[in-house]
Amino acid sequence: MILLNIIWPTFLLVGLAFVMFGLMVRARLGHMKATPPSASDFTDGTTARAYFASVDLPANNLANMFEMPVLYFVLVPLLLFTGQAGVAQALLAWIYVLTRILHSHAHVRRLAVPTRFRLYLVSNAVLAAMWIGFFMDMLAAAHAYRALAG
């Protein structure tokens, strides 16, 4: 059952994406109510982005959730499938998700860019450590298999 420990931070990261989605919808609906759009505000993607520019932080953060975190969402099933989702990977997953939450908070609260960037770097370093650990575990498993088969 220790393998399933990695599921809980994953649920939290999915929850964060939905929270960012909700904040984006609320900000955009509020903007549309305060500043009703015209047809020309939505002629193409550029004009729509310009119309929502004053409330773009939640949307930008949501888009960011589908950049580097995609590597996390790919890794978790691989860890589960291969039986490598042990304590170390679960701990790193918690750290990763918590730094992503702090990054999102800094992003939508307009905190200093250096603070947000440091959180981004830390989260990506943790994600890299997860992938490196998985790679090393797979190398060890391949070596053990080769030793048994040879």
Side-chain angles (χ1 to χ4, degrees), residues 36-122:
S38 65
S40 65
D41 288 324
F42 294 100
T43 56
D44 59 31
T46 302
T47 57
R49 280 188 297 280
Y51 173 74
F52 287 118
S54 65
V55 292
D56 66 352
L57 288 179
N60 290 347
N61 190 265
L62 182 62
N64 185 262
M65 294 290 298
F66 294 95
E67 293 171 357
M68 292 302 285
V70 168
L71 294 175
Y72 173 86
F73 287 122
V74 167
L75 181 59
V76 169
L78 290 171
L79 290 168
L80 290 168
F81 178 75
T82 60
Q84 300 300 321
V87 174
Q89 288 287 10
L91 178 61
L92 287 170
W94 276 111
I95 294 168
Y96 178 72
V97 171
L98 293 175
T99 57
R100 292 299 310 182
I101 290 169
L102 292 171
H103 173 264
S104 291
H105 180 266
H107 196 172
V108 298
R109 295 289 181 215
R110 299 181 191 266
L111 297 182
V113 172
T115 299
R116 192 172 84 216
F117 186 65
R118 279 192 292 277
L119 290 165
Y120 181 74
L121 287 178
V122 169

Side-chain angles (χ1 to χ4, degrees), residues 120-141:
Y120 181 74
L121 287 178
V122 169
S123 71
N124 288 334
V126 172
L127 183 59
M130 291 178 75
W131 272 100
I132 290 167
F134 178 60
F135 178 75
M136 299 303 286
D137 288 343
M138 291 296 92
L139 282 178

Side-chain angles (χ1 to χ4, degrees), residues 1-22:
M1 277 304 175
I2 198 163
L3 289 175
L4 296 180
N5 287 337
I6 203 160
I7 294 295
W8 305 115
T10 305
F11 280 139
L12 188 57
L13 190 58
V14 169
L16 177 63
F18 279 107
V19 166
M20 288 299 116
F21 174 75

